[in-house]
Amino acid sequence: MAVSFAPVESMASLSSDLCYDILRRLDGQTLASAACACASFCSISKEEKLWENVCSSMWPSTNREDVKSLISSIGGFRKFYADCFPLIVNKEVTENQWNNYPEYPEEWTEAEYYGDTDEFESVLPSDFVSLVDISYKDKIICSKVLWGIPNANGFDGWFYNCPFRIDLLNYADRDDENDGEVKLSVSDGLPRIASMERERKDGKLWRELRDGLRLSWIVVNRKINQAANLASWSPLGGQRHWPTDKDFVLRFGSVLPAKDILPCQVVECILSMKFRVTHTEGDGVQTTLKLTELSMQLEDMEGAHVNGRNSLLILKEALSCRRSKNYSEVLESCHLYSKVQSELKEEKIRNESRLDRLCILSGIAAFIMFWYCIL
């Protein structure tokens, strides 16, 4: 029996329920594009429930009721997606800027180093919330939520003057559904590894991890109602078989502005993820990896760790800086930072080498003059 379909004269002739059913099946980017197609889609696409579904699918950490309340309080899921889907891009890292790289003074006054105390007092560790999601080959393997910053109580505490670092696996909320160990195995898509000696030669497991892992680390400031994703989605680099033969370290991150906070003007947010091989096929069980570290820290251009006090100010500023949906632009920004940082280190080594040679020549000249005066 032939089936006939009634022609649709325009999108406006579709019922609102049918339009909603169409839009709820879309991802965030497609939903935003569909909103420009017609007035009906534009109106329906403003529904918070649609964007809640999008965020829930992309970032499972937003499924928790307390996180949903948080997102609603800072402007809703539509705004949250618009803030956190694009990644941070810092175009201020230019080669010319670092030709005259400002050196740190030998002695700083407390006001010069810590900046405006009133401004700092308005930024508290309890203002920040971290929403972290890890996926492997498009499958979520870990979601964590961290309210505040651990061990940061008290204005004069050690946190403010010591290097800033968050070890998420040690401090994430104990109420997380997957609070247990995070593991990857062959059933998740890992290749079978006969032994670590074989892996060291062919690097197959390392390539699979580097290509398959994705990280999202969203930081929300409850006081100023802003959020941003500080991760780079895919790894920017890493090390295999370090610090032990069974460890794999992957580095994600972004370049954050530090204007009027630090002399270097920009810093790198380093997000480290470490997996350890617990079993190989040679052990009689399938290849298995365990997540042993997930951390955040900030470093300046010279590789020095930024202290807690300045890190809070930098994180606050990062939530309002420029972002882009163009991933190649994001990578270009990170690679430019690494290039300039390497050039700065090389220049520092050359200067130290010149100084060493000058000291040696001065010593030889002094030695010759000493014996000349004696003889």
Side-chain angles (χ1 to χ4, degrees), residues 349-365:
I349 291 173
R350 285 194 294 268
N351 291 337
E352 290 177 349
S353 179
R354 294 190 193 104
L355 183 60
D356 290 341
R357 288 196 295 269
L358 180 61
C359 291
I360 292 172
L361 292 175
S362 299
I364 294 173

Side-chain angles (χ1 to χ4, degrees), residues 256-269:
L256 309 181
K259 189 175 181 181
D260 301 326
I261 300 175
L262 294 175
C264 57
Q265 305 296 306
V266 293
V267 300
E268 183 179 18
C269 176

Side-chain angles (χ1 to χ4, degrees), residues 294-346:
L294 184 58
S295 64
M296 173 197 290
Q297 60 188 33
L298 304 184
E299 291 185 0
D300 65 14
M301 286 293 291
E302 294 186 338
H305 294 268
V306 182
N307 64 26
R309 187 186 298 258
N310 288 329
S311 294
L312 293 183
L313 295 174
I314 292 171
L315 289 177
K316 178 185 176 183
E317 292 300 316
L319 302 187
S320 58
C321 68
R322 181 173 175 267
R323 278 156 262 198
S324 175
K325 297 176 184 177
N326 186 345
Y327 188 64
S328 61
E329 188 179 8
V330 175
L331 289 180
E332 181 184 355
S333 171
C334 295
H335 292 158
L336 178 58
Y337 180 92
S338 298
K339 177 184 176 183
V340 175
Q341 188 180 46
S342 297
E343 291 175 352
L344 181 64
K345 289 180 179 178
E346 291 173 2

